[in-house]
């Protein structure tokens, strides 16, 4: 018998990953899903054994019985869905980015404060167990002073103006879809937002950023070279370079392995996911909601706002804007 009941707003590919992950989380289940297309919501519910499907978030919330909601709609719809849940007093896990602009992020955070309800950006990488090992290596000074991070995340899909990744009305482009992963890793590593940052990139015919290169300097003096793309395969290996060695993390956004290299030593640590990796952020949400807090100290509101401000700034560098701004 599950004692923590999730609802879902959205029923796409990422929603499926959430529904799969929750199967390995003790005491939790998805009891309802909603979407603008009721027939698709019902098909998703049937496919994943979810007992109820609704044609809107409002309808689902009115039915009650939810401890938290996972919002995984297209980016521009995050704010409306999250605010509806928070105003109903229901905690929310919102797929990254929390919202496509800092103005919308502020709207969500204000609703959390006003409604006294929890909200967290679903930066699932932050909660993967292998990063606990990496953090211990860093805190123990195993690689000395960290001087540089190199990390990129990119994949190639055919350019299609009707696809969400290439539609500015849906906040398409590489920066918000995958660029937040290397940017988020840099924030975690250096413990602060960058003091200097610049981006160059390729903006496609539809007006979205298709391939971006980012250079940043952090208050510690550390540098970052980061990349993201939706039109090119980029090697998803993160390398943290220090004065005494390196840490390498393959597939850093969903990591299960990390390698520490120092003079005369190499240590490889592997921590396979229990499920697909989403389970750890789900458990964080459950712990926070049960504790009655409004935010996770591991993925706090201030960092979500920082990320939104940073992405707004980088988009200005790239001269990318969205029609709903």
């Amino acid at each position: 018998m599950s004692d923590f009941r999730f609802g879902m707003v959205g029923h796409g590919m990422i929603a499926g990953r959430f529904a799969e992950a929750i199967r390995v989380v003790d005491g939790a289940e998805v009891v309802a899903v909603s979407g603008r297309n009721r027939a698709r919501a019902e098909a998703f519910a049937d496919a994943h054994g979810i007992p109820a499907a609704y044609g809107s978030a409002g309808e689902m919330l009115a039915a009650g019985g939810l401890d938290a909601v996972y919002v995984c709609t297209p980016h521009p719809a995050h704010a409306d869905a999250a605010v509806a849940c928070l105003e109903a007093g229901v905690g929310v896990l919102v797929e990254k980015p929390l919202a496509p602009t800092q103005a919308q992020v502020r709207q969500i955070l204000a609703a959390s404060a006003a409604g006294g309800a929890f909200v967290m950006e679903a930066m699932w990488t932050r909660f993967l167990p292998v990063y606990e090992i990496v953090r211990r290596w860093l805190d123990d000074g195993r690689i000395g002073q960290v001087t540089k991070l190199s990390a990129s995340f990119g994949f190639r899909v055919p350019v299609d103006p009707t696809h969400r990744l290439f539609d500015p009305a849906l906040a398409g482009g590489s920066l918000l879809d995958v660029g937040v992963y290397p940017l988020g890793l840099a924030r975690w590593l250096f413990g602060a937002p960058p003091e200097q940052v610049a981006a160059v990139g390729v903006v496609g015919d539809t007006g979205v950023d298709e391939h971006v290169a980012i250079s940043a300097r952090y208050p510690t003096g550390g540098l970052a070279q980061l990349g993201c793309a939706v039109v090119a395969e980029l090697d998803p290996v993160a390398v943290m370079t220090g004065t005494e060695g390196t840490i390498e993390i393959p597939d850093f956004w969903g990591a299960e392995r990390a390698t520490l290299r120092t003079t005369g030593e190499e240590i490889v640590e592997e921590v396979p996911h229990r499920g697909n990796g989403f389970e750890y952020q789900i458990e964080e949400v459950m712990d926070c909601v049960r504790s009655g807090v409004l935010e996770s100290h591991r993925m706090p509101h201030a960092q979500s706002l920082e990320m939104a401000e940073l992405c707004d700034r980088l988009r200005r560098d790239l001269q990318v804007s969205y029609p709903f701004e």
Side-chain angles (χ1 to χ4, degrees):
M1 185 70 179
S2 298
D3 61 1
F4 199 100
R5 299 154 298 178
F6 277 95
M8 298 176 65
V9 182
H11 38 62
M13 180 185 69
I14 299 299
R17 293 198 66 190
F18 184 92
E20 292 167 3
I22 210 165
R23 294 172 187 158
V24 302
V25 178
D26 291 338
E29 68 174 324
V30 178
V31 299
V33 60
S34 66
R36 289 179 297 174
N37 186 317
R38 181 186 292 272
R40 288 186 60 194
E42 290 173 346
F44 183 91
D46 289 343
H48 293 278
I50 300 170
Y54 300 93
S56 70
E59 186 182 350
M60 181 180 72
L61 291 167
L66 300 175
D67 296 298
V69 170
Y70 174 51
V71 173
C72 50
T73 62
H75 304 331
H78 286 185
D80 286 347
V83 168
C85 294
L86 294 166
E87 290 180 342
V90 179
V92 191
L93 173 66
V94 185
E95 188 51 53
K96 55 81 193 161
L98 186 60
T101 67
Q102 64 171 301
Q104 290 184 346
V105 168
R106 291 183 185 278
Q107 180 186 9
I108 292 171
L109 299 185
S112 170
F118 173 85
V119 65
M120 187 181 87
E121 183 175 10
M123 186 60 71
W124 66 293
T125 303
R126 186 71 58 92
F127 303 96
L128 299 177
V130 75
Y131 280 101
E132 296 176 14
I133 296 171
V134 173
R135 176 53 69 190
R136 186 168 68 247
W137 288 340
L138 293 167
D139 291 346
D140 289 346
R142 299 295 294 275
I143 65 168
Q145 178 71 26
V146 180
T147 58
K148 181 183 175 184
L149 170 68
S150 176
S152 295
F153 187 0
F155 55 89
R156 183 180 183 277
V157 295
V159 175
D160 177 359
T162 67
H163 192 286
R164 70 168 185 87
L165 287 174
F166 300 99
D167 186 349
L170 295 179
S174 64
L175 187 61
L176 296 190
D177 206 69
V178 291
V180 293
Y181 286 112
L183 286 168
L185 180 61
R187 175 62 175 84
W188 177 85
L189 175 62
F190 293 116
E195 58 183 11
Q196 292 178 275
V197 64
V200 294
V202 175
V203 177
D205 292 339
T206 65
V208 305
D209 52 288
E210 295 181 349
H211 193 164
V212 180
I214 302 165
S215 295
R217 185 181 190 277
Y218 290 80
T220 61
L223 304 178
Q225 291 183 323
L226 313 173
C228 55
V230 293
V231 294
E233 297 282 349
L234 304 181
D235 189 1
V237 176
V239 179
M240 301 172 181
T241 301
T243 54
E244 305 295 332
T246 63
I247 297 171
E248 181 178 293
I249 309 171
D251 297 319
F252 73 92
W253 53 279
E256 297 178 280
R257 179 162 55 94
T259 301
L260 170 68
R261 294 187 179 94
T262 58
T263 302
E265 181 179 41
E266 179 174 295
I267 298 174
V268 179
E269 292 280 1
E270 292 199 46
V271 189
H273 302 154
R274 297 200 323 269
N276 60 25
F278 273 32
E279 59 269 20
Y280 306 107
Q281 68 175 352
I282 293 172
E283 290 169 340
E284 177 74 2
V285 171
M286 294 167 65
D287 289 344
C288 289
V289 170
R290 285 168 171 161
S291 299
V293 298
L294 300 190
E295 62 183 315
S296 163
H297 74 276
R298 298 171 69 186
M299 187 63 226
H301 293 174
Q303 290 189 27
S304 292
L305 183 57
E306 285 174 8
M307 181 64 75
E309 293 171 338
L310 177 57
C311 288
D312 279 0
R313 177 179 174 180
L314 294 173
R315 285 194 297 110
R316 287 195 294 271
D317 283 353
L318 299 167
Q319 298 185 354
V320 169
S321 62
Y322 306 130
F324 53 82
E325 292 186 87

